[in-house]
Amino acid sequence: MTLQTESGREPPRDSVVPTSPALSRWRDRVVAPCLAVSAVILGWLFWEFAHTNRTLDMRALQIRLFFAAFVVFLLAVSIVLRSSVSRPGRLAWGIVIAGILFRLSVAPVLPATTSDIYRYLWEGRVVRAGFNPYAEPPASPQLAHLRAWVWPLVQHKSVPAAYPPLAQYVFALAGILPIHRVIGLKLLFAAFDILTLLLLPGLLARLGRPRSWVILYAWHPLVVCEVVARGHFDALGILLLVAAMRLSLVASARGRSLAGAALGASIVAKGYALIVAPVWLLAARPHARAFTLALLGVVALAWLPFFSAGAGLARGTMMYAESWRGNASVFALVDVALGRVTLHHATAARAI
C-alpha cells in the first residue's frame, strides 16, 4: 500500500513515516553505526584492492576483494533503502564524506593492474608538444624525441589516439602539475568524481528522491576500484553528465543551453553520453534548438584543434573496436553459445 496524506498525495520521500518515538530513536541509533561499520570494512577492502598487482595469485585475491566489497556495498544499500531516519540530510552527507575518503585513500596509489594511465600521459605529452595524437601513433618517427620514462610503459604503439578530445586536454594538464605525473592524473580523476558526489544529493532532492540514495554511486565498488584506484578517466564524463542533468532542471532557454553544453562536453570527454542525447533532445522542448546548438558547438570546438588528422580522427577508435573486447567474461559465454549456431559467432558476439 502507498501511504498518502489527507490531500491524497504521497508524502515527500525524505519525510518520516509516522512511527512511535521509541521506534524512531531505535532506527536512528542502529542505521548510523551499521553504515559506519560497513564504511570501515569497505575502506579496508578498497585499500587492499588498490595494492594488488599483476601476478596470478594477486589477480585471484583482487577478484575476491572486489566481490567481498560488493557484498558489503549491497548490505549497506539495503540498510539505507529500508531506513527512515529523522535526519536524512545528515545521513546523506555522512555517506558522501565516506565516499570522498574512499577516493582519497586509493587515488595516491600507483595502478598496478592496468597500463591505461601511461597511455593517457603519453598522449598528453604529445598534445603539449603541439602534435596531433590522432594523426601520429606512439610509434611514429615524428614523435621519437618525445620518448621519455613513460614510453616503455605505453602499449599498442601502432594505434593512434582513440580517446575523445576533452580527455586529451586533461591528459595534457596532468603533465604540468608539480607532482608525480601518474599520481597527479589520478588525483584529477578523483577530484572529478568527488565533484559528482557533491552534486548528487541536490539532484536527488530536486527529483523528489531521498538524498541518501547517493550511496548507490558514492560507495559503488566499480566506481571506487576502476575509476579511482585503477585510474580511468570515466570520472570526467560522468561529472559532466550529472551536471547536464542538474542544469536540465532549469526550465529556460539558458538552462537548456547550459545543459546542452554540459552534455556535449560529456560526449567529447568519454563518448557514451551520446547514447542518451536523442532522449535528452526530446526532454529539452520547447528549447530544443538552444540545447542542440550548444551541444553541437561544444563538440565542434573540442574537435577543432585536431581536424588536421582528417579521416584519421576515427582511425584509433576503429582499430580499438575491431581488436578489443569489452565485458570479456560475458563475451566468452555468448561466443561459445553462438558457436553452435553460426560460423561468424565471434563477430555476432562482439556486436551483442
Side-chain angles (χ1 to χ4, degrees), residues 329-340:
S329 57
V330 178
F331 175 88
L333 294 175
V334 176
D335 189 30
V336 170
L338 292 178
R340 302 174 179 272

Side-chain angles (χ1 to χ4, degrees), residues 2-13:
T2 300
L3 180 68
Q4 293 186 332
T5 62
E6 293 182 358
S7 64
R9 296 180 181 178
E10 293 186 27
R13 300 199 178 210

Side-chain angles (χ1 to χ4, degrees), residues 229-282:
R230 284 186 168 180
H232 290 112
F233 69 96
D234 302 68
L236 178 59
I238 293 170
L239 169 62
L240 293 166
L241 187 64
V242 171
M245 293 178 188
R246 183 66 180 83
L247 291 165
S248 291
L249 298 178
V250 180
S252 65
R254 182 182 180 186
R256 294 294 187 261
S257 295
L258 292 174
L263 185 61
S266 181
I267 291 171
V268 292
K270 182 61 179 176
Y272 45 53
L274 183 62
I275 297 171
V276 299
V279 178
W280 223 300
L281 180 60
L282 292 175

Side-chain angles (χ1 to χ4, degrees), residues 242-325:
V242 171
M245 293 178 188
R246 183 66 180 83
L247 291 165
S248 291
L249 298 178
V250 180
S252 65
R254 182 182 180 186
R256 294 294 187 261
S257 295
L258 292 174
L263 185 61
S266 181
I267 291 171
V268 292
K270 182 61 179 176
Y272 45 53
L274 183 62
I275 297 171
V276 299
V279 178
W280 223 300
L281 180 60
L282 292 175
R285 295 177 296 180
H287 303 293
R289 178 178 297 181
F291 174 89
T292 304
L293 290 176
L295 186 152
L296 295 177
V298 167
V299 171
L301 286 174
W303 279 108
L304 185 61
F306 302 106
F307 277 169
S308 61
L313 283 173
R315 187 155 59 99
T317 302
M318 295 302 298
M319 294 175 72
Y320 180 88
E322 292 171 358
S323 304
W324 275 263
R325 296 174 179 176

Side-chain angles (χ1 to χ4, degrees), residues 78-94:
S78 68
I79 292 171
V80 169
L81 296 184
R82 293 173 182 271
S83 68
S84 181
V85 297
S86 60
R87 296 181 178 179
R90 178 177 293 184
L91 176 63
W93 287 110

Side-chain angles (χ1 to χ4, degrees), residues 146-172:
L146 297 179
R147 297 173 187 176
W149 66 273
V150 72
W151 169 255
L153 300 172
V154 175
Q155 295 188 345
H156 313 297
K157 294 181 173 63
S158 62
V159 180
Y163 306 118
L166 189 56
Q168 299 293 341
Y169 303 140
V170 174
F171 302 161

